[in-house]
Amino acid sequence: MSEIEEIVQGVLAGDRRSIAKAITVIENNPEKARRIIASIYPHTGKAHVIGVTGPGGSGKSTLIEKIIREYRRRGKTVGVVAVDPTSPFTGGAFLGDRIRMQELSVDEGVFIRSMATRNYLGGIARATKDAVKVLDASGRDVVIVETVGAGQSEVEIIKVAQTIVVVFAPGLGDEIQAIKAGVMEIGDIFVVNKADRENVDKSVMDIRAMLQLSNKEQAWTPPVLKTIALTGDGVAKLIEKIEEHRRFLEREAGREKAREKAETELVEAIKEKVASLMIEELEKEGEFESYLQKILRREIDPMSAAEKILKKKLGGC
Amino acid sequence: MHGERKIRVLIAKPGLDSHDRGAKIVARALRDAGMEVIYTGLRQTPEQIVETALQEDVDVIGLSILSGAHNTLFPRIMELLKQKGLTDVLVVAGGIIPDEDVPELEKLGIKGFFGPGTPTDKIVQFIFENAPKRS
Ligand SMILES: Nc1nc2c(ncn2[C@@H]2O[C@H](COP(=O)(O)OP(=O)(O)O)[C@@H](O)[C@H]2O)c(=O)[nH]1
Ligand SMILES: [Mg+2]
């Protein structure tokens, strides 16, 4: 058996070492990763994927630990992908989400993996999606993805999830302002964590008000909940809402959302394939460089250059 | 165009130490040297450390210990690593480890020892030179 086949067999059998290796391959080797995903894809689509995002320090990791415990109590197995940013200056990363979940690391029913955003081919969103597929194919009932909700790329990452939970802490008014642009639209459930602190109710009201502003006609109205992740207060209620959302997806929006996701993935995949094919072709003849020079001399703009290239390579279409 | 292979390091504190300043300083230095550092906090059992190394598929484990329990905890960790087939992981140790204990620990497969006050550069360099080369 080849190395890849061995990893695939292991993943499908739920072997933890194989799961870990598969994710490493996804992080390092796009070609082998593609082969792994191709083999496991028929076995995916069973897990419920939950995204947890929000400002750093709002308590996401602590809350996830409690969410895992609650699912374990219900007999479900859980996988976690915790994404933290790579430093743009050093290329290194400090991956600290696990600190809050370490007691669970020895539970056979839990698998936690930390990922840095790096500079992946196809983007971190793709790498995260593939890691989620590995956990899904390994038989996990629930897969949780944690990201810091800040920029557009994080919003892209978290879209891998079927149910998106946005976590705030009280008194983060400015941060809510800063990140609401992307996050308010994608959240299915909003949580104000650290409900043991002051100004919780004000934060809840602020979020409700903001949600009403974006007042689209929606079949699902995102609830705003309070939790104390440190003690687990409110977590059972949160799980109820997550489960309600899962049933809602199955009942109504599920097929449409799945279709949308598949469509985005196909479009992204085509873009990536076509782009790398074209660039490879152009580089053979040194044409890439010559277009680049023309653009730098302002003789042609990038979009027109791309059009010209396509016409030439694909013939008169 | 794609991210090059990164060295992934687990910094773990076995035993009952009550602070982790040193471990955090090392963790930061490794990150600044371009590594991906998984940090797990205080009071990790050997089982937790090895299971974390497995799930995170790390290249290197840095064990930091002050409490003097290394002679019982390190053998257990090395044994569990072997059991789980994690034999190519580079294991280094920091903290307070008396010189006379080093030969025994080296026999177990632990490769680098860095006492208090070791310049972090030295640790970084050691890891770059000794981390397993994996595809
Ligand atoms: N007072 C209080 N502190 C909390 C609560 N949840 C988390 N924290 C603390 O907030 C800090 C950040 O938590 P963490 O889970 O790492 O946040 P993350 O960055 O969003 O993942 C930690 O010191 C937690 O102990 C809570 O409900 N109440
Ligand atoms: Mg976190």
Side-chain angles (χ1 to χ4, degrees), chain A residues 56-57 59-62 64 82-84 96-98 100-101 146 148:
Chain A
K60 298 179 293 298
S61 302
T62 314
I64 288 171
V83 182
D84 273 316
D97 295 319
R98 275 194 93 99
R100 321 270 177 229
M101 314 174 195
E146 174 180 348
V148 180

Side-chain angles (χ1 to χ4, degrees), chain A residues 203-220:
Chain A
S203 295
V204 170
M205 269 157 41
D206 285 351
I207 293 169
R208 288 223 172 97
M210 255 183 248
L211 286 171
Q212 265 155 15
L213 275 180
S214 67
N215 202 6
K216 284 177 287 178
E217 210 33 65
Q218 281 174 324
W220 171 267

Side-chain angles (χ1 to χ4, degrees), chain A residues 24 93 95 98 102 114 118, chain B residues 36-37 44 52 55-57:
Chain A
T24 301
L95 309 172
R98 275 194 93 99
Q102 260 321 77
S114 315
R118 290 197 199 173
Chain B
E36 289 178 358
V37 182
Q44 298 291 298
T52 300
Q55 291 173 24
E56 299 287 354
D57 199 17

Side-chain angles (χ1 to χ4, degrees), chain B residues 61-126:
Chain B
I61 302 175
L63 299 170
S64 161
I65 196 161
L66 305 166
S67 63
H70 50 273
N71 283 334
T72 51
L73 293 171
F74 286 10
R76 177 79 184 130
I77 290 168
M78 297 311 286
E79 182 194 311
L80 285 169
L81 282 174
K82 209 184 276 172
Q83 265 177 32
K84 306 242 175 195
L86 302 175
T87 44
D88 67 342
V89 178
L90 170 68
V91 183
V92 301
I96 299 169
I97 296 165
D99 288 344
E100 64 264 29
D101 290 347
V102 166
E104 251 336 282
L105 297 174
E106 273 178 335
K107 255 188 239 160
L108 295 171
I110 298 173
K111 284 225 179 79
F113 295 86
F114 305 99
T118 309
T120 52
D121 294 1
K122 222 180 127 188
I123 305 174
V124 167
Q125 194 193 345
F126 185 88

Side-chain angles (χ1 to χ4, degrees), chain A residues 16-17 20 24 27-28 90-95 98-99 102-103 105 111-114 116 118-119 121, chain B residues 1-3 5-6 8 31-32 34-40 44 48 51-52 54-57 85-86:
Chain A
R16 308 160 75 72
R17 188 85 200 282
T24 301
E27 292 196 291
N28 295 312
T90 66
F94 186 85
L95 309 172
R98 275 194 93 99
I99 299 176
Q102 260 321 77
E103 270 180 39
S105 62
F111 190 103
I112 302 166
R113 180 64 172 243
S114 315
R118 290 197 199 173
N119 193 8
L121 183 70
Chain B
M1 203 163 155
H2 59 86
R5 183 84 166 89
K6 296 272 179 196
R8 284 169 69 85
R31 177 201 59 190
D32 292 344
M35 300 179 201
E36 289 178 358
V37 182
I38 292 119
Y39 187 66
T40 52
Q44 298 291 298
Q48 285 174 331
E51 206 26 72
T52 300
L54 183 147
Q55 291 173 24
E56 299 287 354
D57 199 17
L86 302 175

Side-chain angles (χ1 to χ4, degrees), chain A residues 52-63:
Chain A
V52 179
T53 191
S58 59
K60 298 179 293 298
S61 302
T62 314
L63 190 61

Side-chain angles (χ1 to χ4, degrees), chain A residues 63-276:
Chain A
L63 190 61
I64 288 171
E65 201 255 3
K66 292 297 191 300
I67 293 173
I68 301 172
R69 283 184 193 278
E70 185 61 32
Y71 273 116
R72 293 297 291 142
R73 246 194 302 278
R74 298 174 183 212
K76 307 272 190 208
T77 57
V78 184
V80 178
V81 180
V83 182
D84 273 316
T86 292
S87 154
F89 304 108
T90 66
F94 186 85
L95 309 172
D97 295 319
R98 275 194 93 99
I99 299 176
R100 321 270 177 229
M101 314 174 195
Q102 260 321 77
E103 270 180 39
L104 295 167
S105 62
V106 288
D107 177 344
E108 289 268 324
V110 180
F111 190 103
I112 302 166
R113 180 64 172 243
S114 315
M115 282 174 89
T117 49
R118 290 197 199 173
N119 193 8
Y120 292 100
L121 183 70
I124 176 64
R126 231 279 303 282
T128 311
K129 251 181 223 154
D130 288 351
V132 167
K133 286 194 181 104
V134 166
L135 289 166
D136 182 352
S138 80
R140 305 277 138 178
D141 299 310
V142 177
V143 178
I144 303 173
V145 179
E146 174 180 348
T147 66
V148 180
Q152 188 56 36
S153 72
E154 276 80 6
V155 170
E156 284 308 311
I157 299 172
I158 212 70
K159 278 189 186 158
V160 63
Q162 286 141 359
T163 301
I164 297 177
V165 180
V166 182
V167 182
F168 292 110
L172 289 175
D174 293 345
E175 288 186 51
I176 295 182
Q177 287 301 330
I179 72 170
K180 71 170 185 204
V183 166
M184 296 313 275
E185 289 90 53
I186 59 166
D188 299 304
I189 297 169
F190 290 82
V191 171
V192 180
N193 185 42
K194 307 198 185 184
D196 51 320
R197 299 234 175 121
E198 279 170 37
N199 294 324
V200 193
D201 292 319
K202 173 158 190 330
S203 295
V204 170
M205 269 157 41
D206 285 351
I207 293 169
R208 288 223 172 97
M210 255 183 248
L211 286 171
Q212 265 155 15
L213 275 180
S214 67
N215 202 6
K216 284 177 287 178
E217 210 33 65
Q218 281 174 324
W220 171 267
T221 311
V224 185
L225 309 175
K226 293 188 273 189
T227 59
I228 305 173
L230 281 183
T231 60
D233 271 32
V235 172
K237 181 84 187 291
L238 171 59
I239 304 274
E240 283 314 321
K241 285 292 172 191
I242 293 173
E243 289 301 304
E244 203 177 296
H245 187 252
R246 185 177 62 78
R247 288 192 297 271
F248 161 78
L249 289 177
E250 274 166 12
R251 224 174 37 238
E252 310 190 22
R255 220 169 289 155
E256 202 177 305
K257 214 169 170 179
R259 203 194 130 83
E260 243 171 60
K261 246 195 229 318
E263 193 176 322
T264 318
E265 281 198 59
L266 180 58
V267 170
E268 288 303 316
I270 292 173
K271 273 190 207 164
E272 196 183 311
K273 279 278 159 202
V274 172
S276 54

